[in-house]
Amino acid sequence: MKVRKAVIPAAGLGTRMLPATKTVPKEMLPMVDKPVLQYIIEEAVSAGIEDILIVTNRAKSAMDDYFDYYPELEHRLEAAGKEKELEAVKQAADLANIFYVRQKETKGLGHAIWRSKRFVGEEPFAVLLGDDIMRAKKPVIGQLIAAAEQYNASVIGVQQVSDEVVSKYGVIKAEPLAERVFTVRDMQEKPTLAEKFSNYAVLGRYVLGPDIFDILENQTPGYGGEIQLTDGLKKLCPQNRLLAVDFEGRRYDTGNLKGFLEATIDFALDHPETGAWLREFLKEKAAIL
């Protein structure tokens, strides 16, 4: 099993980040000096992904524009001797082979994944959700790919979450297989605290086989009246075809304001142009508060 392709579902309406996302896709909101989506694409590329499909909607043409060449701007920067800025602008366009397909109807994550069927073909593929940024020494999607290739199975990324937020996620029932690797026996989408199988939540990274497409194509709507990926993945469990990796790294949900600000601050603290300044700024604010 060699994973060469990735799918990034990015067709959501961004309702948790309104009013900013009324005209700017949430995936294109700037985090320090790059849009959220670029961090996700860079993670995929660093794990060896060659081709990336972004599932969009009619309001998100800014993604296509950003990851393309901009000759007028590039010529202006070159003429002005702004080599650093020119390199950054061209780098975004050269990250990977990026393709696009629209999710013409808002039918849920499972339906968005199904829209990538022709792009994926008969290969295994990675899925990186468009508003989840990961910080890790080894790319999180790379950790999942390693398990998928070792065990020749579909893999989902999980971490333990608190009881206070477990009802916001899909969670798993699982048995240990190896260090940080589990065999998934069942899944639930957004369970109540009384119903939950565990506190292991599925957090925005997957490696799936092409067999998921037939399942999703015939999947009936579930939670929220949408085609849920979790419901489709449940059907892989009885055949021991779904594993979970308790991945190493920090996950940021940039689709909500608090998660977006947490990520922005952490990345800004590590940025060579903002880190020292921001530390002093935060010390001054802390003294006042």
Side-chain angles (χ1 to χ4, degrees), residues 5-287:
K5 296 180 178 180
V7 175
I8 301 177
L13 298 177
T15 54
R16 294 183 296 163
M17 292 287 281
L18 288 170
T21 49
K22 179 182 178 180
T23 55
V24 179
K26 62 180 178 178
E27 299 85 2
M28 295 304 295
L29 291 173
M31 203 180 75
V32 191
D33 58 350
K34 296 184 290 188
V36 168
L37 184 58
Q38 185 166 341
Y39 290 92
I40 296 169
I41 290 175
E42 288 173 349
E43 178 190 342
V45 170
S46 65
I49 298 296
E50 301 170 2
D51 300 324
I52 297 173
L53 178 73
I54 302 176
V55 183
T56 69
N57 63 34
R58 65 177 63 86
K60 298 198 174 186
S61 59
M63 298 178 187
D64 196 349
D65 293 339
Y66 181 83
F67 294 101
D68 195 2
Y69 291 123
Y70 190 167
E72 297 85 356
L73 174 61
E74 292 165 17
H75 292 158
R76 182 70 63 87
L77 293 172
E78 185 175 15
K82 296 184 176 181
E83 296 181 1
K84 181 179 179 181
E85 290 83 355
L86 176 61
E87 181 181 356
V89 168
K90 295 183 72 172
Q91 180 194 19
D94 293 331
L95 280 171
N97 301 317
I98 301 178
F99 307 87
Y100 302 86
V101 67
R102 285 186 175 181
Q103 184 183 20
K104 298 178 181 179
E105 300 175 86
T106 305
K107 290 186 175 181
L109 177 58
H111 179 261
I113 300 296
W114 178 79
R115 290 285 292 147
S116 69
K117 181 177 180 179
R118 289 192 178 183
F119 168 79
V120 169
E122 296 300 317
E123 300 183 40
F125 63 106
V127 176
L128 302 89
L129 297 194
D131 49 14
D132 281 351
I133 287 181
M134 307 291 185
R135 297 188 79 190
K137 292 182 179 179
K138 179 179 180 180
V140 169
I141 197 63
Q143 297 176 43
L144 271 61
I145 289 172
E149 292 178 347
Q150 179 179 354
Y151 295 101
N152 194 31
S154 293
V155 180
I156 57 179
V158 300
Q159 283 187 334
Q160 293 196 64
V161 300
S162 67
D163 282 345
E164 288 74 19
V165 299
V166 71
S167 62
K168 297 180 179 180
Y169 300 99
V171 300
I172 62 169
K173 178 189 289 186
E175 300 172 356
L177 176 63
E179 184 178 4
R180 306 185 77 94
V181 182
F182 303 86
T183 300
V184 181
R185 296 304 184 193
D186 204 351
M187 300 180 68
Q188 303 165 296
E189 182 65 26
K190 297 180 174 64
T192 66
L193 196 57
E195 295 171 337
K196 67 168 185 172
F197 287 148
S198 72
N199 285 73
Y200 276 107
V202 185
L203 298 178
R205 296 293 184 270
Y206 312 78
V207 177
L208 306 175
D211 51 347
I212 193 64
F213 292 118
D214 289 339
I215 295 174
L216 293 175
E217 187 170 8
N218 298 291
Q219 184 65 50
T220 57
Y223 184 91
E226 297 182 336
I227 305 299
Q228 296 291 343
L229 179 59
T230 299
D231 294 338
L233 293 174
K234 280 169 61 75
K235 297 180 180 179
L236 298 177
C237 298
Q239 290 82 33
N240 295 336
R241 291 154 58 202
L242 183 64
L243 305 181
V245 169
D246 179 9
F247 62 84
E248 298 182 77
R250 169 73 186 274
R251 175 249 186 182
Y252 300 90
D253 179 3
T254 63
N256 72 78
L257 186 57
K258 290 181 180 179
F260 180 83
L261 291 174
E262 286 179 355
T264 299
I265 292 170
D266 280 357
F267 277 78
L269 286 170
D270 285 342
H271 195 284
E273 294 185 16
T274 59
W277 165 82
L278 183 55
R279 283 182 176 83
E280 292 304 314
F281 179 78
L282 292 175
K283 288 178 183 177
E284 291 175 8
K285 286 295 181 183

